[in-house]
Amino acid sequence: MSIHEEKTIEKQHSFSDIGSDHDFEYGAETTLDINREHAGSSKLAYFNVVCVVAGTGTLGLPQALQQGGWIGLLVIFLSWAMSTYTGIILVRCLYANGKNRLNTYKDVATAAFGSIGGWITFFFNAWIVVGVPVLYTVLAGSNFNQLCKGTAGEIGHVPWTIICCFIVAVPFIIVKSMKEVAWMSAFGALATAIVVVIVLICAAIDRKNQINVHHDAVIWNMFPIALSTISFSFGGNVIYPHVEASMKQPRDWPKVVASGLSTCAVLYLVTAVTGYLVYGDRVANPVYNSIPAGAAQMVAVVIITLHVLMAAPLLITSFSLDLEEMFDITVDRFGKVKEFFIRATLRVCLIVFVGVIACVVPHFGPLMSLIGAFANCALIFIFPVAFYLKLTGFRNKPIYELLFCFLVAVLGIVGLIFGTQEAIKELIAAFK
C-alpha cells in the first residue's frame, strides 16, 4: 500500500470518527497533533493574522462607509465580533474528532458534509487565496505606475503587474511553509499601521480644504455592497488552519486570532471614520488617493505596495499547501529534489494564473467588492457556523450562542447574494 493510500484511509477514518458530543480542545494531549518541533511563536502567528487581514481592507473601508453610510461602523463592529468567533470555532473544528487534527478548511468541510461539502468549500477557498493575490498584484502594479508617473518608468499597469508577479514568485517558490514566510508579516503589520497614521494626519490637515462634504446615515440599497467590502476586510479564515499549524502553542490560538482581529478593527475604525468624515462621498479606494499629492502620499503608496507584495505570498502559499496536501506532494513520497521540482512547477503555474487574471481584470475597487461578497461572506460567516454546528451539535450550545450563529449566517447570506449582485454591476460598469 502506498503512502498516499495510507494517508487517504487514515483521513477517512478521522472523518468518520467525528461525533457531535465529543469534547475537544486545541492541541489536546489525546489528539494526534501535527509535528510542531520547528513551529514558531504565538507572536509570529499574531503578525501573520494582522498582515493578511489588515492590508488592503484598511484602504477600502472609508469607501464602504461612502457606500452604506455611517451605519457601516456598526457593520464593522459586528464583522469584527463575528469573524473573531468564526476564526476560533473554525480551528476548533480541526480537532473535532479528538483523535487526529484535520489539516485544512477543506478537510473540515469534508468531515462535516462529505466530499461535496469539501469541494464546494475548496471552490470558495480558491476565490480568496488566489483572488486576493490577484487583487494585491493589481494594486501593486497600479501603485508602481503611479510612482513612476512622468518618468520612463511609467510603462503602464499591465507591465508593472507582470513585474510584481515576478517579485511575488521569488519567496512563493523558494519557501515551503507559512512559518518560513512569517517574517514578512511583521513588516506587513507595521506597514499598515504607518499608512493609517499617514492618512489620519494628512486627512486632518486637509479637512479645511474639503467644502460641502456630504455624508449619509444609511444607504439601504448599497448596504449589501458595503457589507461585502467590510467582510473582505476581515478575511483570514482561509489561512487560519495553516497559521495555527505554524504555532508552537496551539492553545494560544483564541488569544492570537482575537488580538489580531482586534488590532485590525482599531486600524479600520480610525481609517474609516477619518476618511469618510473628511472626504465624505468623494473618498477614494484606496483611501490614500484622497489625501493631497506629495511626499506623504508617495510614502503611503510605497509602504502599502511593499506590504501587499509581502502579503500575497502568505495567501497563495496557503493555497499551494492545500494542493500539495491533496496531491500528496511530499519528500517521503518523491524525495527531496523531485519534491522541490514538482512543488516549484505547481507554484509557477499558480503565479502565472494570478498574473493573467490580474492583467485582464485591472480594477481594484470592484474586484475587492466581488471577492468580499462572493467568497468571504461564505468562508468567514456562513461555512464556519455550519461546520461547527454539524460537527459539535446543537443541544450542547447555549441559546445565546445559537442566536449569534443565526445572526452570523443571515448576514453572510445577505452579503453573499445581494453583495455579489451589486459587485458584478460595478465591475461591468468599470469595463465600460
Side-chain angles (χ1 to χ4, degrees), residues 141-168:
S142 176
N143 284 352
F144 274 122
N145 199 60
Q146 178 181 339
L147 290 170
C148 296
K149 189 174 183 179
T151 70
E154 189 180 3
I155 56 179
H157 301 302
V158 172
W160 273 117
T161 298
I162 295 172
I163 293 171
C164 290
C165 286
F166 277 101
I167 295 173
V168 171

Side-chain angles (χ1 to χ4, degrees), residues 125-144:
N125 180 74
W127 264 83
I128 297 295
V129 290
V130 177
V132 174
V134 169
L135 186 69
Y136 283 177
T137 52
V138 167
L139 179 61
S142 176
N143 284 352
F144 274 122

Side-chain angles (χ1 to χ4, degrees), residues 244-408:
E244 190 267 353
S246 70
M247 293 172 56
K248 178 77 75 175
Q249 300 293 334
R251 292 178 183 272
D252 289 343
W253 173 250
K255 292 184 289 185
V256 167
V257 70
S259 58
L261 292 179
S262 297
T263 301
C264 296
V266 171
L267 295 174
Y268 291 168
L269 288 171
V270 170
T271 309
V273 170
T274 302
Y276 187 55
L277 180 65
V278 174
Y279 299 105
D281 57 354
R282 297 193 294 267
V283 70
N285 184 10
V287 66
Y288 53 68
N289 285 335
S290 292
I291 65 177
Q297 186 191 60
M298 184 174 294
V299 170
V301 171
V302 170
I303 291 175
I304 209 66
T305 302
L306 292 174
H307 166 55
V308 297
L309 289 176
M310 290 185 174
L314 289 172
L315 282 163
I316 200 167
T317 296
S318 173
F319 183 62
S320 182
L321 289 172
D322 285 346
L323 291 179
E324 290 158 26
E325 194 271 337
M326 285 171 54
F327 295 114
D328 194 30
I329 302 175
T330 62
V331 174
D332 291 338
R333 184 183 180 191
F334 294 106
K336 191 172 183 179
V337 175
K338 189 175 180 180
E339 182 270 345
F340 172 79
F341 280 107
I342 294 174
R343 172 164 49 87
T345 301
L346 172 64
R347 296 191 177 196
V348 167
C349 293
L350 285 175
I351 201 67
V352 168
F353 179 78
V354 166
V356 170
I357 300 300
C359 293
V360 173
V361 191
H363 301 289
F364 177 77
L367 192 58
M368 175 190 286
S369 298
L370 179 60
I371 293 172
F374 184 71
N376 267 14
C377 284
L379 291 169
I380 298 173
F381 301 137
I382 303 172
F383 290 172
V385 169
F387 300 158
Y388 180 59
L389 295 178
K390 180 66 167 61
L391 293 175
T392 65
F394 289 83
R395 295 182 180 180
N396 55 355
K397 307 290 187 301
I399 186 65
Y400 63 83
E401 184 175 9
L402 293 176
L403 289 174
F404 187 69
C405 287
F406 177 76
L407 174 64
V408 173

Side-chain angles (χ1 to χ4, degrees), residues 4 14 31 48 77 85 263 312 321:
H4 179 65
S14 68
T31 302
N48 262 330
F77 176 79
Y85 174 73
T263 301
L321 289 172

Side-chain angles (χ1 to χ4, degrees), residues 34-58:
I34 58 175
N35 184 359
R36 298 181 186 269
E37 182 181 355
H38 302 292
S41 67
S42 298
K43 289 182 180 179
L44 277 178
Y46 162 82
F47 284 123
N48 262 330
V49 172
V50 175
C51 177
V52 172
V53 174
T56 53
T58 312

